[in-house]
Amino acid sequence: MDVVRIGNVSVGNIPEMINQYKICLVAGARPNFMKVAPIFHALAARKEDARIAGNDLQISIVHTGQHYDESMSEVFFRDLRMPKPDVHLEVGSGSHAVQTAKAMISFEKILLDDRPDLVIVVGDVNSTLACSLTAKKLGVKVAHVEAGLRSFDMSMPEEINRKLTDAISDLLFVTENSGVQNLRAEGIPTEKIFLVGNVMIDTLKHNLSLIERGGFTPSAFVQNFRSNGLRYAVLTLHRPSNVDRRENLIPIWGAITEVARQIPILFPVHPRTGSKLREFGMEAEGVSIIEPIGYLDMLCAVKDAAMVFTDSGGLQEETTVLGVPCVTIRENTERPITVELGTNYLAGTSPETILSAAWEILSGNAKKGTIPPLWDGHAAERIVEVLMHL
Ligand code: UD1
């Protein structure tokens, strides 16, 4: 297995002859589940080899409960064939301080009881920071998957989570070269940094082949959009800076409804956005607003879309690999490779720039992307290879 090492591991503390190696995987919010799944499966595949070598590899999954609705959580565990979490912290919604603090208090008890050798956190949500900080303060090693991404926008809660998690992690697994450069610029020693590719793409590749083999039947809504032979677009929008205030949402929504005059738009709506649309009394002509959908249903919808509008991080990456044009409704991206190599247009939040990207795509002149290095479906295996040789 090709691990691109940026340096030699020297994180100490994990014994050379491991008899028992306890790894705790943390998941909290929707975008975490597709990142945790391939790591879980790659670790599980190593259990038997470890046993033969005299080592007891124990893997546990802790769900903080930051996302808790069936459509924001359980459906992902089912779709991604993950076992039920060993522990559910039931943190729920709340202010950033409340959510982070509740996760820390509950996770500390789990760590004190279980004493894992390593905690793996993924992504940039509040659970990522809460659990890495708790583990580190108890002297438990922390690995951060999807390290080094930077939007350079400290008004984004995720940017704060990313920077702080990276600053205290012992192992930093990176998806794209910009991540390595950002970490080096922040003084993280090279020996902690591993450019391994993108676990989210592991999940995508695996499930795309399942869908192509006919192993999943999409919901009636998604079937309908795909089967009427017309082009369609998919929209996701949930970032607080875009949806929480009327004056920010109105112009974005204006551009979306303008596009919807040309092409139908499927919009699985995040609970945050759904409540704001209701509160602001927004009209949605041409936009089919549905409840959040599961991973496989979303993949079915996105893979055949003419384009995607989004403010999410993960969809910028997924569309790049699927070759689907993506209009990112944000002023910055922490995933610059999707713009440099992929199909992503960083359109900003003004109607003019959103529409200009949309018309370019609809006129058949969308840029053709290429797939970033190491986004090949084997990132989790590379990560596990590193973990097994500490
Ligand atoms: C969180 C992440 C964000 C990620 C997003 C994906 C942080 C700081 N933000 O934002 O990075 O892109 O998840 O979905 O961690 N709600 C429900 N049911 C749920 C979860 C939430 O109804 O299962 C509602 C609640 O009213 C809640 C609101 O959605 O107040 C927002 O949820 P929250 O977890 O605070 O943040 P997200 O916007 O989901």
Side-chain angles (χ1 to χ4, degrees), residues 31 35 124 146 149 156 162 198 200 236 238-239 310-319 326 328 330 333-335 338 344 375:
K35 295 169 194 168
D124 55 15
E146 204 185 85
L149 297 181
M156 275 180 91
R162 288 181 201 118
N198 193 327
M200 191 165 230
T236 78
H238 73 280
R239 209 152 280 291
T310 194
D311 61 2
S312 114
L315 264 170
Q316 297 174 53
E317 298 179 334
E318 291 167 334
T319 46
C326 179
T328 296
R330 285 176 49 188
T333 178
E334 60 289 327
R335 293 158 159 92
T338 60
N344 192 13
W375 291 19

Side-chain angles (χ1 to χ4, degrees), residues 37 115 131 366:
R115 288 271 162 208
C131 294

Side-chain angles (χ1 to χ4, degrees), residues 31 66-69 93 96 99 125-126 158 238 270-272:
Q66 179 175 342
H67 284 172
Y68 42 84
D69 285 353
S93 297
H96 286 265
Q99 212 168 46
V125 301
N126 287 342
E158 293 83 357
H238 73 280
H270 185 284
R272 171 194 286 284

Side-chain angles (χ1 to χ4, degrees), residues 14 21-27 36 39-40 43 57-64 85-89 106-112 114-122 127 131-132 134-135 140-145 387-388:
I14 295 171
Y21 188 5
K22 284 181 159 187
I23 299 182
C24 171
L25 272 163
V26 175
V36 164
I39 305 170
F40 171 80
L43 280 171
L57 174 60
Q58 295 183 18
I59 313 153
S60 63
I61 301 178
V62 170
H63 189 328
T64 64
D86 298 84
V87 182
H88 202 295
L89 305 181
S106 304
F107 191 52
E108 185 177 53
K109 294 194 185 102
I110 304 303
L111 292 180
L112 289 171
D114 281 5
R115 288 271 162 208
D117 299 289
L118 179 74
V119 166
I120 303 179
V121 296
V122 299
S127 304
C131 294
S132 55
T134 309
V140 179
K141 297 289 168 204
V142 175
H144 183 206
V145 174
L387 299 183
M388 293 301 122

